Amino acid sequence: MNLAWLDPLLAPWRLLVRGLEHLQPLAQLAARLYVGQVFFLSGLTKINDWDTTLTLFAEDYHVPLLPPAVAAVMGTAGELVLPVLLVLGLGGRFAALGLSVVNLMAVLSLADIAPQALQQHVFWGSLLIALVLWGPGAWSLERLLPPVSRG
């Protein structure tokens, strides 16, 4: 079956798709910068007043399976280290996956989370999962490293 007659009709669509594909690195960079900033600033807030952070983890945040002090250290470390890796695009999938865990723990640890706060976490989680699945993009430091062999 010859479908060559469709080519002129599909040409504008192909042009649009090609243009959108050229925007992917920009979109991945924007997602990395946005989510990285959100989590890094949260980590800075935690280390700025460590006593309050410890109190929050002891009284308000109920992280499953971890003592509050350990959860506070791990959560804060994750919020300070992983965003830097994510923004640089170095270990981008690892950083996005780690921040996904931090994001999930934040949602699970609060007994009563406001709908608007939950919606923010869902949005951040969506961006992070996209970065886990598709990687940090062409505009990342990972692209400067030699490719990983797939065995």
Side-chain angles (χ1 to χ4, degrees), residues 7 10 18-19 29-30 37 46 54 62 64-65 70 72 96 98 108-109 111 115-116 119 123 130 133 142 144:
D7 283 344
L10 293 176
R18 201 170 325 125
L29 176 62
Q37 178 187 23
K46 286 180 177 68
L54 289 174
H62 303 287
L65 307 173
V70 173
L108 293 177
S109 69
Q116 189 173 15
Q119 187 60 38
F123 179 61
L133 295 174
E142 279 182 20
L144 302 175

Side-chain angles (χ1 to χ4, degrees), residues 33-108:
L33 291 173
Y34 174 71
V35 177
Q37 178 187 23
V38 167
F39 282 91
F40 189 75
L41 291 177
S42 177
L44 288 179
T45 299
K46 286 180 177 68
I47 62 168
N48 190 40
D49 189 350
W50 189 246
D51 290 336
T52 300
T53 297
L54 289 174
T55 301
L56 284 171
F57 273 86
E59 296 177 9
D60 293 337
Y61 305 152
H62 303 287
V63 177
L65 307 173
L66 293 176
V70 173
V73 169
M74 289 178 67
T76 303
E79 287 182 333
L80 292 172
V81 173
L82 295 173
V84 173
L85 293 174
L86 186 69
V87 166
L88 293 174
L90 193 59
R93 282 186 162 110
F94 167 78
L97 190 58
L99 286 173
S100 295
V101 171
V102 171
N103 189 46
L104 182 62
M105 286 298 107
V107 171
L108 293 177

